[in-house]
Amino acid sequence: MIAKFLVAALSFSLISAPTFAEPLARQLFGSKASASAQAPSAIGFYSRGCAAGLQRMPESGPTWQAMRLSRNRNWGQPAMLTYLQDLSRYAASLPGWNGLYIGDISQPRGGPMTGGHASHQIGLDADIWMLPATNLNLSRAQREKISSISVRTADQRHTNSNWTPQHLALMRHAAADPRVDRIFVAAAVKIAMCNTVPRNDRAWLQKIRPMYGHNTHFHVRLKCPPGARYCETQKPTVAQLSKGGDGCDDTLNWWVTDYLNPPKTAAKPKPKGPPKKNAKTYVMSDLPNQCRAVLTSR
């Protein structure tokens, strides 16, 4: 009788024992306050990867300030920090601008963020505010409170009075740089560019890609640096997306037509199987193997 009771108790304990879920990658990477003690390396894809040996963008410079310092997201690959400083010097040459306000780049070790972005995981993405950087002496407290400006109307179809020739010149210079893979911006901004830029100066427009939620900043994405063996190049390329053109076509108009007012169609059946994973739900096994060493490095 006692033996049967012990067997039954053991069976119950095995069945009822709690199972512990694997921690989310965004919690693990978000808890790291400093970069890994490794050589700089972009690992994986922009929205599924991590970054070794990142460098911290100085909080302030002669032509820039990093914003929202409490987030600790001003870390990037050396190529990204050099690019941002170069672009900020150009911005300082524009009327009404003294440089750039720079938003999120990456966490100290890249990886999925605790909140917000799906990308910015390998140190090659950066957000640049649309607000002209007129004051480069903002305190840490001021940088937490100040906000950027929207250059798009509320209906998402047009640029507003905040959009200036200086914004256009800045983004042209940003996109023309050979280090840049693509730049994400509100569709209304791309349309304004398509309607303004002369025919003999449109090659760089190919890199300007419409994306929702980019009306207060533009998002620069750099190419994988030379020799970055673990960095995954984005496909399709901007040339493939635009079919060799400048992207001023029906695919752009979709963002201010069907995207805003989707045509009525028959409801699609719900996909079978578990939901597709993303930056919010990734665990370490979803990321490249090299990311474990990045996470555990001192």
Side-chain angles (χ1 to χ4, degrees), residues 19-38:
T19 57
F20 297 97
E22 188 176 352
L24 295 173
R26 62 188 172 99
Q27 295 172 337
L28 297 173
F29 280 96
S31 69
K32 297 297 182 180
S34 60
S36 66
Q38 299 169 297

Side-chain angles (χ1 to χ4, degrees), residues 42-49 122 124 221-224 228-235 288:
I43 301 169
F45 189 62
Y46 302 91
S47 58
R48 192 179 70 86
I122 60 175
L124 294 174
R221 174 165 293 174
L222 298 190
K223 298 173 182 176
C224 291
R229 59 185 295 198
Y230 299 119
C231 184
E232 185 178 341
T233 301
Q234 184 163 359
K235 295 178 182 178

Side-chain angles (χ1 to χ4, degrees), residues 102-119:
I102 298 171
D104 289 352
I105 308 174
S106 286
Q107 298 176 139
R109 303 189 187 198
M113 289 189 175
T114 51
H117 303 287
S119 57

Side-chain angles (χ1 to χ4, degrees), residues 72-218:
N72 197 25
R73 295 177 182 173
N74 56 324
W75 299 77
Q77 297 292 340
M80 173 55 82
L81 303 195
T82 300
Y83 171 83
L84 290 172
Q85 292 174 29
D86 290 345
L87 184 61
S88 73
R89 283 189 287 271
Y90 174 78
S93 72
L94 298 172
W97 294 64
N98 292 324
L100 295 178
Y101 291 143
I102 298 171
D104 289 352
I105 308 174
S106 286
Q107 298 176 139
R109 303 189 187 198
M113 289 189 175
T114 51
H117 303 287
S119 57
H120 290 257
Q121 294 189 33
I122 60 175
L124 294 174
D125 292 289
D127 291 339
I128 299 171
W129 283 22
M130 294 293 191
L131 178 68
T134 55
N135 181 0
L136 294 177
N137 294 304
L138 296 174
S139 67
R140 291 181 65 94
Q142 288 173 319
R143 286 184 246 187
E144 296 296 325
K145 294 181 180 179
I146 191 173
S147 296
S148 187
I149 57 172
S150 175
V151 295
R152 185 207 66 201
T153 56
D155 66 5
Q156 303 188 40
R157 299 177 188 277
H158 308 281
T159 52
N160 61 23
S161 59
N162 290 329
W163 175 251
T164 66
Q166 289 90 324
H167 285 96
L168 175 58
L170 177 61
M171 265 183 269
R172 180 196 180 282
H173 190 85
D177 193 301
R179 291 170 288 187
V180 172
D181 181 80
R182 64 196 70 197
I183 293 175
F184 299 111
V185 73
V189 170
K190 169 88 178 193
I191 291 172
M193 290 177 172
C194 292
N195 292 334
T196 305
V197 175
R199 292 182 178 274
N200 62 350
D201 183 36
R202 300 177 74 88
W204 58 273
L205 267 177
Q206 189 180 83
K207 292 184 183 179
I208 305 294
R209 305 302 307 169
M211 183 60 66
Y212 60 87
H214 287 71
N215 55 306
T216 61
H217 69 273
F218 62 97

Side-chain angles (χ1 to χ4, degrees), residues 232-280:
E232 185 178 341
T233 301
Q234 184 163 359
K235 295 178 182 178
T237 66
V238 291
Q240 291 169 332
L241 285 170
S242 62
K243 297 180 180 179
D246 53 21
C248 301
D249 52 26
D250 289 342
T251 62
L252 174 60
N253 292 330
W254 176 86
W255 286 93
V256 292
T257 54
D258 288 357
Y259 172 72
L260 299 178
N261 296 295
K264 293 182 179 180
T265 57
K268 294 182 180 180
K270 292 183 178 181
K272 297 180 179 179
K276 186 178 179 180
K277 287 193 172 184
N278 55 39
K280 292 183 178 180

